[in-house]
Amino acid sequence: MTATRVLVLNSGSSSVKYQLLDMGDGAKLAAGLVERIGEETSRLKHTPLTGGGGEAREREQRIADHEEALKAVADELAQDGLGLDSPDLAAIGHRVVHGGLFFSRPTVIDDAVLKEVERLIPVAPLHNPANLTGIRTAMALRPDLPQVAVFDTAFHTTMPESAARYAIDVKTADEHRVRRYGFHGTSHAYVSRKTAELLGKEPEDVNVIVLHLGNGASASAVRGGVCVDTSMGLTPLEGLVMGTRSGDVDPAVIFHLMRVGNMSADAIDDLLNKKSGLVGLCGDNDMREIRRRVDAGDEEAKLAFDIYIHRLKKYIGAYYAVLGRVDAIAFTAGVGENAAPVREAAVAGLEELGLAVDGELNSVRSDEARVISPEYARVTVAVVPTDEELEIAQQTYALVAPGND
């Protein structure tokens, strides 16, 4: 009997998000989250999804490290008859944020892969160490099982040099690996493909602008299924206004704050990554709360929302120019999928570009991919729910399935 299950792990610095999927029939068997790892009280929420779903189980206790967290996950899965020792488990797929230029596709993990991911820590200091911890822990628990790394940056390695290069000294840039890498790649790959499917076309026949709008946010220009530009850069800080990140900012702001504000590099890093964006502008990074405040007449929240939309429109226009022809714009992730006012505002006034949103269609809440533009619109505007875990599982299984080695 062929093993068809894939466990997907997304290891953060103090959390592990997971999902178990059966690639034989596409069923999601279980999902969960362990958070506050290493703190006095940690929390594990596990939801069995077989047989139409089940009651979520939660427990709070101290979970000291990622090894203990994964053992707790294994215990929860075992309660549902889905333990890590199951012969049905084909592989474990790991989300790895930064793969540089070296990794352009999913890769079976060995010592050489681990060393390269470790070598990239300076350009992903918050993410790659946590990803490595999760990988090493999973390898220790199941050393006999294929472990696959799926990289956030991989989808964007197709960008031409004209889009990926910064206009700085080439020797300096190459020596320190300074270039645009892009992130959220598994989401952009999945959503661009699903958008083509929604249009009834093959990915190679469709040009799409994907707007991944969550607490972290990024845009991509996808021509014929291939990424040709994206908004995030060397790190996930560049580009759109985000929940706590500034997005695009004049680099001289950093020097100004050093000289005039007497701020250290670490303090500025903390400012731009954790105390900027929406939270820096109005004190909230939850779009639902910001919209509530806007509707109540809060001018601070309104300005934050307007800045967010202004930046979003700039990228829509820029990527329209990059692609030349746009067949669809796809909104995805937490804000993109759920915040109708954001979608409406983002395309308002862009009718000359063939963009419009139907108010009634836009107001519908659904977990399904759907068109929200009127029939007369030249460019399809769509809401396409992302599924990064499914994308990671599919890429993992495609690599390890019998006949694919």
Side-chain angles (χ1 to χ4, degrees):
M1 184 177 174
T2 302
T4 56
R5 293 177 184 169
V6 174
L7 177 64
V8 175
L9 295 177
N10 181 353
S11 298
S13 56
S14 61
S15 67
V16 175
K17 185 180 179 183
Y18 63 93
Q19 200 168 115
L20 180 67
L21 304 96
D22 191 321
M23 305 316 295
D25 58 11
K28 294 183 179 182
L29 305 178
L33 172 68
V34 187
E35 53 188 346
R36 302 197 296 266
I37 295 171
E39 296 184 19
E40 194 62 37
T41 303
S42 309
R43 177 174 174 267
L44 188 158
K45 181 176 181 180
H46 173 86
T47 305
L49 301 172
T50 52
E55 282 291 321
R57 301 192 294 268
E58 292 189 35
R59 52 171 152 147
E60 292 192 355
Q61 64 187 72
R62 176 168 166 74
I63 296 177
D65 52 31
H66 282 70
E67 181 178 359
E68 197 174 314
L70 282 185
K71 286 179 178 177
V73 170
D75 288 344
E76 291 294 335
L77 290 169
Q79 286 189 49
D80 303 321
L82 304 168
L84 291 191
D85 58 351
S86 169
D88 294 323
L89 192 60
I92 298 177
H94 298 267
R95 178 198 180 206
V96 179
V97 167
H98 215 311
L101 291 179
F102 194 80
F103 299 109
S104 59
R105 56 182 58 86
T107 305
V108 175
I109 299 168
D110 56 18
D111 287 343
V113 172
L114 289 173
K115 286 178 182 175
E116 184 63 20
V117 173
E118 191 167 21
R119 193 176 73 86
L120 287 162
I121 286 176
V123 289
L126 298 178
H127 299 94
N128 276 29
N131 301 154
L132 282 166
T133 299
I135 290 169
R136 288 176 172 137
T137 302
M139 291 178 83
L141 288 175
R142 282 298 305 267
D144 59 313
L145 205 63
Q147 312 266 343
V148 175
V150 178
F151 299 91
D152 270 14
T153 49
F155 183 64
H156 304 303
T157 58
T158 55
M159 284 190 293
E161 287 293 279
S162 56
R165 285 268 182 188
Y166 292 110
I168 66 173
D169 173 66
V170 171
K171 184 178 178 182
T172 301
D174 288 347
E175 181 181 353
H176 299 288
R177 302 189 297 281
V178 175
R179 61 185 291 119
R180 175 172 287 108
Y181 293 100
F183 299 89
H184 295 145
T186 51
S187 178
H188 286 279
Y190 178 86
V191 170
S192 59
R193 193 173 64 250
K194 284 293 178 182
T195 303
E197 189 178 298
L198 183 65
L199 298 180
K201 298 180 179 180
E202 294 299 319
E204 55 265 30
D205 297 325
V206 176
N207 290 355
V208 186
I209 297 173
V210 178
L211 302 172
H212 178 108
L213 308 178
N215 193 48
S218 60
S220 67
V222 183
R223 178 184 291 125
V226 175
C227 178
V228 295
D229 206 348
T230 192
S231 58
M232 285 180 167
L234 174 72
T235 75
L237 179 59
E238 188 180 0
L240 302 174
V241 175
M242 304 176 224
T244 65
R245 299 178 207 149
S246 65
D248 293 338
V249 66
D250 180 350
V253 168
I254 297 168
F255 313 135
H256 177 77
L257 292 175
M258 284 180 167
R259 293 167 184 151
V260 178
N262 199 30
M263 293 178 69
S264 67
D266 286 345
I268 296 171
D269 189 301
D270 187 63
L271 170 72
L272 296 180
N273 276 289
K274 298 178 181 178
K275 299 175 182 176
S276 295
L278 292 170
V279 79
L281 290 167
C282 71
D284 273 310
N285 63 334
D286 187 321
M287 186 56 73
R288 292 166 296 188
E289 177 60 17
I290 291 170
R291 282 305 311 175
R292 186 197 66 77
R293 288 172 57 186
V294 170
D295 293 341
D298 187 317
E299 289 299 319
E300 189 178 59
K302 183 180 185 304
L303 178 59
F305 183 79
D306 289 347
I307 292 170
Y308 182 94
I309 295 298
H310 180 77
R311 186 80 56 83
L312 194 51
K313 280 190 175 182
K314 283 177 67 174
Y315 270 92
I316 291 171
Y319 286 172
Y320 206 120
V322 166
L323 291 170
R325 187 198 85 238
V326 175
D327 299 297
I329 291 180
F331 288 88
T332 194
V335 175
E337 293 170 28
N338 297 299
V342 168
R343 299 190 296 260
E344 180 182 7
V347 301
L350 302 181
E351 290 81 7
E352 289 296 319
L353 297 180
L355 293 165
V357 161
D358 180 288
E360 188 174 337
L361 294 174
N362 189 36
S363 65
V364 172
R365 297 294 294 267
S366 172
D367 293 331
E368 300 297 319
R370 58 200 184 277
V371 174
I372 61 170
S373 49
E375 288 186 11
Y376 64 77
R378 193 168 70 249
V379 177
T380 299
V381 181
V383 180
V384 182
T386 191
D387 196 332
E388 294 173 271
E389 287 77 20
L390 177 59
E391 182 71 14
I392 291 170
Q394 288 174 335
Q395 291 192 28
T396 296
Y397 190 67
L399 195 59
V400 304
N404 291 344
D405 43 31

